[in-house]
Amino acid sequence: MEQVNPEEDWLDRELRESAPYIDDAGFTARVLQQLPSPRRSRDLLRAAILLGMTFLASVVGYFVSGGGRFVGVTIERLAALPALWVLVLALASGLVIAGAGAVAAVSKAEVFQPGRF
């Protein structure tokens, strides 16, 4: 069994109960004003590159797969399915996508991040 140091308990309690802001007579504001302006984000360039590479990969995949013949075959098979099966397939796909979105939203929420008080 691990011994807990009473001084560490006191320090831990004081840090948790202390005020969230310590007055610094404007020091933080002065430092932030002297910082250089943020660089222009390259998000647009990154998005363009990713979109272009995705399009290029799609075109290569289309030609490698025999001109997309498998797409026509798959559509024919889906058209031959009973309407109830198509409805169940669409519902299942929607539930999977909604579940993935919910998991992504919960993982991004600040409330559920470990280490937050």
Side-chain angles (χ1 to χ4, degrees):
M1 189 165 157
E2 187 175 314
Q3 291 287 335
V4 178
N5 187 350
E7 187 175 316
E8 288 179 13
D9 283 342
W10 172 83
L11 180 59
D12 189 43
R13 185 179 64 249
E14 286 295 319
L15 287 174
R16 274 191 268 124
E17 294 174 357
S18 67
Y21 178 76
I22 299 173
D23 186 27
D24 60 1
F27 174 77
T28 303
R30 288 191 306 270
V31 169
L32 288 175
Q33 286 177 351
Q34 292 177 359
L35 290 175
S37 62
R39 293 184 190 177
R40 184 175 173 187
S41 176
R42 296 186 182 216
D43 289 340
L44 184 61
L45 177 63
R46 181 178 180 181
I49 290 172
L50 287 173
L51 189 62
M53 294 307 291
T54 302
F55 179 74
L56 179 65
S58 298
V59 169
V60 168
Y62 176 79
F63 286 113
V64 168
S65 69
R69 192 174 86 72
F70 70 94
V71 174
V73 171
T74 304
I75 290 174
E76 288 175 11
R77 287 182 181 171
L78 283 175
L81 286 176
L84 182 61
W85 282 43
V86 174
L87 178 66
V88 169
L89 181 63
L91 182 63
S93 299
L95 287 174
V96 167
I97 291 172
V103 167
V106 167
S107 69
K108 294 286 184 179
E110 290 184 19
V111 176
F112 298 110
Q113 293 296 324
R116 297 239 184 221
F117 294 106

